[in-house]
Amino acid sequence: MQYKEVTESTQQAFKSLEIQVGKLAKEVTKFVARREENFVEVEAHEESLEEEHDSKEKDEKKVRRTCNNGISTHK
């Protein structure tokens, strides 16, 4: 009788552990997905900042060229 009780207890422990591992796997999957989403958002934001910087540089070059040619649009 003792062997049977130990076996049943061990089986219940494994089932419980299996459930806990399944829950943990779901949480890890959610975490990884959120991390990937955040990475994509940061990457998009960085690209936007680079484009904005490049655009400002082009505008500044236009102003410098205009001023160097003696045609100033600024007062």
Side-chain angles (χ1 to χ4, degrees), residues 10-25:
T10 302
Q11 287 175 341
Q12 286 179 332
F14 275 114
K15 284 181 184 179
S16 177
L17 185 59
E18 185 179 9
I19 291 169
Q20 291 175 356
V21 169
K23 289 178 181 179
L24 180 60

Side-chain angles (χ1 to χ4, degrees), residues 23-45:
K23 289 178 181 179
L24 180 60
K26 285 180 184 179
E27 289 300 315
V28 168
T29 301
K30 288 179 189 177
F31 173 79
V32 170
R34 280 193 307 267
R35 185 172 179 219
E36 181 65 24
E37 288 172 3
N38 291 341
F39 179 78
V40 169
E41 288 176 10
V42 167
E43 195 173 54
H45 182 68

Side-chain angles (χ1 to χ4, degrees), residues 5 7 9 15 17 21 29 33-35 38-39 48-49 51-52 54-55 67-68 74:
E5 290 172 358
T7 303
S9 177
K15 284 181 184 179
L17 185 59
V21 169
T29 301
R34 280 193 307 267
R35 185 172 179 219
N38 291 341
F39 179 78
S48 174
L49 291 175
E51 289 171 3
E52 183 180 332
D54 291 347
S55 176
C67 290
N68 288 340
H74 295 88

